[in-house]
Amino acid sequence: MPDPGRVNGWIILDKPLELGSTQAVGAVKRNLRSAGLGKVKVGHGGTLDPLATGVLPIALGEATKLCGRMLDASKEYAFTIAFGTETDTLDLEGKVIAESAVRPSRAELEAVLPRFTGPIEQVPPAYSALMIDGQRAYDLARKGEAVALKSRSVTIHALRLEGAEAGHATLVAHVSKGTYIRSLARDIARALGTVGHVTMLRRLRAGPFGLDRAISLDNLNEVGKGAPLENVLLPLEAGLVDIPALNLDPEQARAVRQGRVLTGLPQGDGLYWARLEDTPVALVELSGGNVRVVRGFNLPDVAE
């Protein structure tokens, strides 16, 4: 059985429909307890609605220090818009608040997508977790109160049409932090002279993690039944592959761990993950040859 103090890394869950992100974290904790690893710290790297499926990064141990960075990462989604009805939640859960007989053609869809690519302004859904005067927007909306949210700047890095038929269109979007796919679907429909809502939402990628690294809930549950945790656990550094590594010698690693400043490094300015051989030491910011620790990792060296 692994030592709980040495359990550090990522479980990438292919979250099933109707399971909330908090429930998914609970499922990981429950299986770890069953495996005798109840002292491992667990967190998730980005909320995924119960009606959405797909990539949910769940951090264990020292990897929880990277959850904030994962929240800031770009995401990729596949989603289906049903044209002709708009709901108050902008998805299948809500009640219909607007209808239209207009059904856009594939050519019309493809023509409008460039307007929603690049930096755009969007108004988040009333049914969202954003705070208004100390209350969640969705709590106010459920009480029937008017919810007025300000528009925000987001970036749609890429947007493509995957298929269109019978009043439905499926698209794939690579988006920045803070983008609401339900709002994007609403605005695309309105730009086409109709209304619409999301009937399918699947996260394909969150930061460096894609569906190719994701496991099912059944696979996760096998850990609680005795399967090796190593079968589903990715190393902490799997969440850092999108930034360069900074190799340290033992003395430099000791200095970083003790909070001492490293100077005179030749690498360019920017964010790095510092490592001693194969062991992550810290997330660091390099500026003018000087190293500043952003987050330190308390990981045992490979040789220990």
Side-chain angles (χ1 to χ4, degrees):
M1 182 186 299
D3 174 359
R6 288 178 175 259
V7 176
N8 304 286
W10 301 91
I11 291 175
I12 312 304
L13 187 65
D14 185 350
K15 190 190 80 62
L17 202 62
E18 298 183 351
L19 185 75
S21 299
T22 302
Q23 292 172 304
V25 169
V28 171
K29 289 180 176 179
R30 184 171 60 253
N31 280 285
L32 291 176
R33 282 196 301 270
S34 297
L37 297 166
K39 294 183 179 180
V40 177
K41 189 175 182 181
V42 182
H44 69 74
T47 301
L48 198 54
D49 290 345
L51 287 183
T53 66
V55 174
L56 180 64
I58 298 178
L60 276 60
E62 290 294 288
T64 57
K65 294 177 177 178
L66 297 172
C67 282
R69 185 171 180 273
M70 201 58 60
L71 294 174
D72 290 340
S74 65
K75 314 289 193 301
E76 186 176 18
Y77 296 91
F79 62 103
T80 298
I81 309 172
F83 295 106
T85 55
E86 182 177 312
T87 65
D88 55 359
T89 59
L90 302 178
D91 60 22
L92 285 168
E93 273 196 323
K95 66 175 185 285
V96 175
I97 57 171
E99 295 184 271
S100 170
V102 175
R103 301 292 185 271
S105 67
R106 185 185 186 100
E108 289 169 330
L109 275 160
E110 289 178 334
V112 83
L113 295 187
R115 290 167 53 182
F116 294 93
T117 305
I120 66 168
E121 295 287 318
Q122 75 169 199
V123 176
Y127 284 81
S128 65
L130 295 176
M131 300 297 288
I132 301 175
D133 298 328
Q135 296 188 68
R136 297 289 184 189
Y138 56 64
D139 288 331
L140 297 172
R142 284 170 186 155
K143 294 176 189 175
E145 297 184 27
V147 176
L149 292 167
K150 295 179 181 177
S151 68
R152 53 167 60 187
S153 298
V154 297
T155 301
I156 312 299
H157 300 293
L159 181 62
R160 71 177 187 272
L161 180 63
E162 289 286 280
E165 60 181 3
H168 292 73
T170 298
L171 301 98
V172 173
H174 177 204
V175 303
S176 70
K177 169 192 175 183
T179 303
Y180 283 91
I181 297 297
R182 287 176 290 146
S183 292
L184 181 62
R186 173 200 63 203
D187 296 343
I188 288 172
R190 290 180 180 178
L192 290 162
T194 184
V195 292
H197 66 280
V198 171
T199 59
M200 183 280 292
L201 179 59
R202 182 158 175 76
R203 187 190 280 165
L204 307 178
R205 178 167 292 278
F209 299 119
L211 281 171
D212 59 323
R213 312 298 294 274
I215 63 164
S216 68
L217 195 58
D218 286 343
N219 288 145
L220 173 64
N221 291 337
E222 289 300 314
V223 172
K225 298 173 184 175
L229 179 62
E230 292 77 17
N231 289 357
V232 301
L233 187 68
L234 301 178
L236 179 147
E237 57 267 30
L240 298 170
V241 295
D242 54 337
I243 60 173
L246 178 66
N247 294 312
L248 305 178
D249 62 34
E251 179 55 37
Q252 289 173 322
R254 190 158 34 250
V256 168
R257 285 169 173 157
Q258 293 173 353
R260 289 187 275 133
V261 177
L262 291 184
T263 61
L265 273 71
Q267 288 85 356
D269 293 355
L271 193 66
Y272 293 80
W273 65 279
R275 66 185 178 188
L276 174 61
E277 296 181 356
D278 292 327
T279 303
V281 174
L283 191 64
V284 299
E285 187 78 37
L286 195 58
S287 178
N290 299 327
V291 168
R292 178 180 68 85
V293 175
V294 177
R295 294 304 301 262
F297 304 125
N298 184 25
L299 295 173
D301 288 333
V302 173
E304 289 184 21

